[in-house]
Amino acid sequence: MEHPKDFAKGLSIGIIMDGNGRWAKQRGLPRTAGHKKGAAVFQDIANYCEELGVSSVTFYAFSTENWKRPLEEVGAIMKLFAQYLIEGFDYKNRNIRIKFLGDRTALDPKLQKLMNELEEDSAAKTGMTLNIAVNYGGRPEIVRAARQLAQQVAEGTLKPEDITEEMMSDHMYTAGQKDPDFILRPSGEKRLSNFMLWQAAYAELVEMDVLWPDFTRDDLDAAITEFNKRSRRFGGI
Ligand code: IPE
Ligand code: IPE
Ligand code: MG
């Protein structure tokens, strides 16, 4: 039988890491315990994607809407970023290029510094691109692109009628990357929640009931297998 390994190569995947809170609640634990386990799963699945030969994977870690949560929870999540997503992840010895998507200017300057360093240190890597979406929203991303192009129009270097889809894509945080082939959402929710709105135009949506902190390499295999069964027509027949 074919293994997902045989067709994972070159794929671009988006992952909405969801269900941390429910996982903790099921165990009578504080929500932050779910985020902590979720961060560990993120590390393992990111490494597994690289092992599979995935070309790019985008993890949705914190949305522009997540600031609505209690201050204590937001603070705990930010602390986990520094700890797990950055300091605790052995990026240096792996052939992974790291990119953060979203408006980092709202984050702790120390965290911003770490993010900038990681991007710079890994910029020359030739393997998988690992995108981590932090303070990210698809709509703000599109507004940002529109503003950048409008600025060029205002300066007289661009004509409105010359704006193309490719130019818009090049002004997204994911500039130069392939659009996601599929977007995976665990925890049973069936919505994008402002994730990769521009890039998701023809992405397959794969939703799974497993909560993110319980998500395993086998679950990713299952998601890739499910994606591979889909018939992508891109408007054709
Ligand atoms: C996803 O898990 C993590 C973030 C959004 C930061 P949730 O915290 O949304 O978990 P549920 O949806 O409440 O279970
Ligand atoms: C989406 O999950 C954001 C992240 C996973 C970072 P949410 O749990 O915030 O989304 P909603 O509120 O269920 O739409
Ligand atoms: Mg959620």
Side-chain angles (χ1 to χ4, degrees), residues 8 36 43 52 60 64 83 90 95 97 123 128 142 171 186 211 215 229:
K36 192 168 173 186
Q43 288 184 340
L52 286 174
Y60 201 7
T64 44
Q83 232 174 296
D90 181 28
N95 193 15
R97 195 164 64 107
M128 181 180 85
I142 293 168
H171 283 82
L211 301 173
F215 195 89
K229 283 191 213 147

Side-chain angles (χ1 to χ4, degrees), residues 16-24 31 34-35 60-63 66 69 73 77 81 185 187 189 191 211-213:
I16 302 175
M17 300 187 282
D18 199 14
N20 294 353
R22 277 163 282 173
W23 181 91
R31 291 178 59 85
H35 295 311
Y60 201 7
F62 192 85
S63 76
N66 287 146
R69 297 186 178 202
E73 181 171 343
I77 292 171
F81 285 148
R185 184 159 191 164
S187 91
E189 306 293 357
R191 54 178 171 265
L211 301 173
W212 179 252

Side-chain angles (χ1 to χ4, degrees), residues 110-141:
K110 270 195 249 152
L111 188 57
Q112 288 185 49
K113 192 167 168 278
L114 278 167
M115 292 162 88
N116 295 338
E117 281 168 5
L118 264 173
E119 284 186 344
E120 286 160 22
D121 289 352
S122 68
K125 301 271 183 168
T126 54
M128 181 180 85
T129 300
L130 170 62
N131 297 309
I132 306 169
V134 181
N135 193 22
Y136 171 89
R139 284 187 169 188
E141 181 182 36

